[in-house]
Amino acid sequence: MKKVLFATALLLVASPLLADSFVNGGFEDGTFNGWVKDGGKYNGSYSPSGDQGKSAIVGLGTDPISGLNTVYNGNYSARVNNYDNGFHYSTITQTVLNWTDPNIYFAYAAVLEDPGHPNAGHMRVTLYDNNTATNLYDIYFDYYTAGTVMGGAWHTTHSAITNTTWGYTDWQVVNLSVGAAVGHGLTLTLLASDCGWGGHGGYAYLDGFGAAPPPPSAVPEPTTVLLFGAGLAGLAAFGRRRNEK
């Protein structure tokens, strides 16, 4: 627990103070505008390196390991860390100086590799009230504890990319009643980490952060895309035949 609190404290120091609402909460700028990326080495404890970690903005698509939609709402989401291994962890964080709404919503999903040993890859989401020095939301799990923490939302799959087993959550939509924190400074942090022995990866997605619930995006299924493409091809062929007459 001390190592997690230490990492969170470092993030709070690094995060910028903004006002009223979270900037670019759905990452629809297509960038990390408003967010601070950080990262470092995890080998049982967190050692910040000063770099920006292994995070990236991703567009509509399918996660290559889990098959999840990479975006919950809109056109972009943030992927924190990535699937390669090597002792690394990554974080994104943002602070508002004066939260003005009695509710907060956001969505997240995690993808963690089965390490077969202790010190598994893990993720943590915290929403911290800077005025009261308390967490309004705090969820942590690794590959082994996710089934208990997440219940039926936790699944396992074999990845052809790494030839190993991974676990993943469904997209989780968090609905927080934070009326007592209106006017307070709030800090949101998402951390995702490889295992502590360096040989297994772990990452997570964050999307739709704000005062209104994020509706899921309609991501076309592959068959839908193929049918749509076939339809366009058919229309093009029909047009050519008409022009040849």
Side-chain angles (χ1 to χ4, degrees):
M1 179 59 69
K2 289 182 178 178
K3 62 192 178 187
V4 176
L5 293 176
F6 172 72
T8 303
L10 290 174
L11 295 170
L12 295 178
V13 171
S15 60
L17 288 180
L18 304 169
D20 298 330
S21 62
F22 284 79
V23 173
N24 191 24
F27 306 96
E28 290 305 292
D29 286 1
T31 70
F32 279 105
N33 175 41
W35 297 85
V36 172
K37 294 190 294 180
D38 202 355
K41 182 177 181 180
Y42 175 74
N43 58 1
S45 62
Y46 302 101
S47 301
S49 62
D51 64 26
Q52 294 192 338
K54 299 281 186 175
S55 303
I57 299 297
V58 297
L60 292 167
T62 302
D63 179 75
I65 300 289
S66 66
L68 285 168
N69 289 340
T70 52
V71 175
Y72 184 81
N73 178 48
N75 297 302
Y76 299 98
S77 72
R79 191 204 67 231
V80 180
N81 221 38
N82 62 3
Y83 71 78
D84 67 354
N85 54 44
F87 295 100
H88 54 260
Y89 78 91
S90 303
T91 62
I92 60 171
T93 188
Q94 186 177 156
T95 296
V96 295
L97 182 62
N98 177 28
W99 182 255
T100 57
D101 196 278
N103 296 291
I104 289 178
Y105 298 83
F106 57 94
Y108 70 87
V111 187
L112 306 172
E113 189 172 7
D114 180 359
H117 59 70
N119 264 340
H122 53 275
M123 67 138 282
R124 187 183 187 193
V125 182
T126 59
L127 182 66
Y128 185 80
D129 186 327
N130 301 314
N131 291 56
T132 61
T134 58
N135 279 324
L136 303 177
Y137 184 82
D138 186 357
I139 187 168
Y140 168 92
F141 56 85
D142 63 20
Y143 180 88
Y144 299 118
T145 61
T148 300
V149 174
M150 305 306 296
W154 181 247
H155 315 282
T156 58
T157 186
H158 182 83
S159 170
I161 296 175
T162 60
N163 197 30
T164 57
T165 299
W166 290 70
Y168 64 95
T169 67
D170 300 324
W171 274 101
Q172 303 297 300
V173 179
V174 178
N175 174 4
L176 299 178
S177 178
V178 293
V182 169
H184 293 189
L186 304 181
T187 297
L188 178 78
T189 301
L190 173 57
L191 176 150
S193 177
D194 295 350
C195 77
W197 293 10
H200 304 88
Y203 57 99
Y205 293 96
L206 179 67
D207 198 9
F209 196 88
S217 293
V219 179
E221 297 294 331
T223 52
T224 304
V225 175
L226 289 173
L227 288 172
F228 180 69
L232 290 178
L235 287 173
F238 177 72
R240 285 195 299 271
R241 287 195 297 269
R242 288 193 62 185
N243 290 334
E244 290 169 358
K245 290 183 179 179

